[in-house]
Amino acid sequence: MKSKRLNQLVDLIPRCDVLADVGCDHGYVGIEALLRNIAQRVLFVDVSEMSLKKARDNTPDDVRFRCKYICRDGLGELEADGAVIAGMGGLEIISILSNAKFLPQTLILQPNRNQKDVRKYLETRYTIDYDRMMYCGGIFYNMIVAVRTDHPVALNELELEFGKTNFVGYNKDFYLYLDKEQVKLKKILNDCNDPEVSAKLSLIERAIAVLGGSK
Ligand SMILES: C[S@@+](CC[C@H](N)C(=O)[O-])C[C@H]1O[C@@H](n2cnc3c(N)ncnc32)[C@H](O)[C@@H]1O
């Protein structure tokens, strides 16, 4: 795979019949899901014809008959049991899901921003099975897997802010994130007393305390 982030996305996809790779761009995630037989068929969806062409050109001939290339905004009326929506802002992801006629059974999401808003959207419709931070190429990514449920469970404040399964087991990337944020926010507060920064630091310190304080 082209990067640790893309590889991790593919690793998180459960076996499915139809996978939608929404905002597919190069198409690497959907293509790899086909090559590994995780998905039987893939709908490559992108709002940009130029991006979709990249996915089409990158698809190996021997899996092409299992692919559909669709130039459109979001899922609309498309039906898929799994959907990967990665590498775009959280508000765009929420808009795509809000406008979808059929919500996929499983979502694999990687919002670049507004992760908390995505979790708020998910917590009333999906069970979040996996929500962990990964550090790759100097950037922290939030990787989320959510499964549709009729019995959603609310997240607590720290889970909403940072991701539920970061608090399960040991995730060195999450520790690194908390450490870097704590140093950065303390430095800012040394220069000016900003209540928002202070509130954020308090959340970081609560997360560190929940994890046991040791790094
Ligand atoms: C930065 S790329 C991410 C590509 C790939 N998913 C990844 O994670 O590497 C974002 C892609 O999403 C597409 N996109 C943005 N909003 C979209 C929407 N509402 N519906 C479909 N495609 C969208 C863009 O055209 C672009 O190709």
Side-chain angles (χ1 to χ4, degrees):
M1 275 304 269
K2 299 285 170 186
S3 73
K4 191 173 145 191
R5 176 186 70 91
L6 292 171
N7 195 52
Q8 171 73 354
L9 282 171
V10 179
D11 283 347
L12 290 173
I13 304 170
R15 293 209 169 279
C16 52
D17 184 20
V18 180
L19 175 75
D21 184 353
V22 185
C24 62
D25 195 22
H26 40 68
Y28 291 136
V29 173
I31 291 167
E32 189 68 15
L34 287 167
L35 292 174
R36 291 195 208 169
N37 278 318
I38 297 168
Q40 292 313 303
R41 288 177 291 149
V42 171
L43 309 177
F44 292 93
V45 181
D46 206 291
V47 75
S48 146
E49 190 59 70
M50 262 169 58
S51 294
L52 208 54
K53 183 179 177 327
K54 284 189 244 171
R56 205 182 273 117
D57 291 349
N58 286 333
T59 308
D61 285 342
D62 54 338
V63 293
R64 204 172 281 277
F65 70 101
R66 291 158 62 195
C67 305
K68 250 190 176 171
Y69 305 90
I70 303 157
C71 189
R72 60 155 302 133
D73 178 347
L75 280 162
E77 301 197 345
L78 296 174
E79 283 187 70
D81 42 334
V84 179
I85 316 177
M88 62 179 88
L91 300 183
E92 189 62 29
I93 292 176
I94 294 170
S95 159
I96 288 171
L97 294 172
S98 304
N99 292 320
K101 185 160 180 196
F102 308 102
L103 281 176
Q105 179 66 15
T106 308
L107 298 173
I108 301 90
L109 308 177
Q110 184 261 297
N112 285 340
R113 295 173 292 283
N114 297 97
Q115 292 88 359
K116 187 175 173 181
D117 295 294
V118 173
R119 294 182 185 114
K120 277 189 183 157
Y121 172 88
L122 292 174
E123 74 170 341
T124 56
R125 301 161 178 89
Y126 283 83
T127 298
I128 297 180
D129 280 352
Y130 184 98
D131 187 350
R132 273 166 101 77
M133 204 166 267
M134 78 174 283
Y135 189 59
C136 166
I139 299 171
F140 289 98
Y141 295 101
N142 293 265
M143 319 295 273
I144 302 174
V145 179
V147 179
R148 193 93 168 95
T149 183
D150 292 329
H151 306 286
V153 178
L155 300 171
N156 67 37
E157 194 184 6
L158 292 181
E159 289 170 340
L160 266 178
E161 186 70 32
F162 300 111
K164 185 170 126 182
T165 60
N166 278 313
F167 294 96
V168 180
Y170 174 72
N171 178 2
K172 72 170 182 354
D173 291 354
F174 184 47
Y175 277 92
L176 183 65
Y177 168 81
L178 292 173
D179 203 22
K180 279 182 179 280
E181 281 293 291
Q182 190 183 35
V183 170
K184 185 181 87 187
L185 297 176
K186 276 185 173 171
K187 211 165 159 222
I188 295 173
L189 284 174
N190 263 344
D191 297 335
C192 69
N193 194 8
D194 182 326
E196 255 185 53
V197 177
S198 179
K200 181 82 206 257
L201 178 61
S202 142
L203 277 173
I204 296 281
E205 289 177 340
R206 276 175 55 201
I208 291 170
V210 166
L211 292 173
S214 58
K215 283 181 254 159

